[in-house]
Amino acid sequence: MIRLAPSILSADFSQLGKETELIEKAGAHVIHVDVMDGHFVPNISYGATVMKSLCGKTKLPFDVHLMIENPDKYLEDFVTDQTEYITVHQEACPHLHRTVQHIKSLGVKAGVALNPATSLSSLDYILEEADLILIMSVNPGFGGQKFIPSALRKVEALKALKMQNDHDFIIEIDGGINLDNVRSVTDAGVELVVAGSSVFGAPDIEKRVGEFLKLF
Ligand code: DX5
Ligand code: ZN
């Protein structure tokens, strides 16, 4: 099953409750939570308090994308009854295996994200431990950027590895996804699709969610 995870980074924060209600009503599956620290990426977004303000307001699970240094220090903050995944960046974790185990020990599924220029081979020894691999199709830090085409090759190669080795992880893509390119990534093996500006920047958010779901 393919799921849609709208990124609230592109939502109107003064209307965050309302906008998440809209995407839930329209059938979105997951809320993608982009956390940026101004160090690992050149932008600051929001932290666990904002995410937790949505607890109970929506029933959708949270997919937490930590674009931060020293994620181990903050993992507990993002654990709620609704947290399904916490994803850390390979590039931010010198002890990635330990960090993945730490996430799992908190009762949450563990994801690992790769920047566009980072090779898949850097994940050779973690694939069997991960619940999710996030392929970044933009350089993390901002919503509304253009899809980087080589991400598609990376998804295809990752899907092949998954099939060959019977791995359990799901494949997520994040960055520059719109109605025109979403089919190419789901055809390549993506099961969790992040879309920020193409959902929350649409003139009719509910309608846009529906348009995505029709393509799955
Ligand atoms: C980028 C974030 C993305 C971002 C996606 O650093 O990780 O989740 O919100 O936004 P769009 O879909 O507009 O590229
Ligand atoms: Zn993200």
Side-chain angles (χ1 to χ4, degrees):
M1 182 196 165
I2 299 165
R3 291 185 293 167
L4 180 67
S7 163
I8 53 170
L9 184 66
S10 294
D12 174 351
F13 286 108
S14 71
Q15 310 282 330
L16 192 55
K18 260 194 214 150
E19 295 206 345
T20 49
E21 227 174 77
L22 280 184
I23 58 158
E24 181 169 19
K25 225 170 79 194
H29 305 96
V30 177
I31 294 179
H32 186 77
V33 178
D34 282 311
V35 180
M36 304 176 181
D37 65 353
H39 293 275
F40 179 65
V41 290
N43 193 14
I44 297 175
S45 58
Y46 50 77
T49 322
V50 168
M51 183 191 92
K52 285 176 171 163
S53 76
L54 294 173
C55 281
K57 297 262 186 313
T58 169
K59 290 201 178 62
L60 295 182
F62 299 136
D63 168 37
V64 181
H65 179 193
L66 295 181
M67 288 162 276
I68 64 175
E69 287 177 2
N70 291 318
D72 281 271
K73 251 173 97 179
Y74 303 98
L75 294 174
E76 272 90 346
D77 294 350
F78 291 92
V79 178
T80 70
D81 289 348
Q82 285 175 246
T83 309
E84 182 175 2
Y85 293 103
I86 296 181
T87 296
V88 293
H89 268 262
Q90 184 273 348
E91 301 85 357
C93 296
H95 305 288
L96 184 58
H97 188 278
R98 178 184 288 149
T99 305
V100 164
Q101 301 310 325
H102 185 180
I103 296 170
K104 290 179 165 184
S105 76
L106 299 170
V108 173
K109 293 180 194 160
V112 178
L114 277 194
N115 281 337
T118 307
S119 171
L120 264 191
S121 61
S122 64
L123 299 184
D124 276 356
Y125 299 96
I126 202 68
L127 288 180
E128 64 221 82
E129 310 285 343
D131 297 302
L132 174 151
I133 303 294
L134 168 51
I135 302 299
M136 288 305 300
S137 39
V138 297
N139 288 295
F142 305 92
Q145 304 181 79
K146 214 169 150 286
F147 183 85
I148 297 172
S150 61
L152 190 59
R153 271 198 281 137
K154 208 187 266 182
V155 169
E156 286 164 354
L158 182 59
K159 169 80 179 184
L161 275 175
K162 175 177 159 152
M163 299 314 280
Q164 275 159 28
N165 299 289
D166 215 10
H167 285 309
D168 290 329
F169 61 79
I170 66 158
I171 305 176
E172 179 176 31
I173 196 134
D174 185 5
I177 298 297
N178 54 45
L179 294 175
D180 295 327
N181 61 17
V182 68
R183 274 304 285 271
S184 64
V185 297
T186 54
D187 285 350
V190 166
E191 296 154 278
L192 187 57
V193 176
V194 178
S197 52
S198 55
V199 167
F200 289 104
D204 183 334
I205 293 173
E206 273 188 84
K207 189 167 156 233
R208 180 54 53 85
V209 168
E211 287 167 340
F212 268 106
L213 298 182
K214 259 192 230 139
L215 294 170
F216 286 179

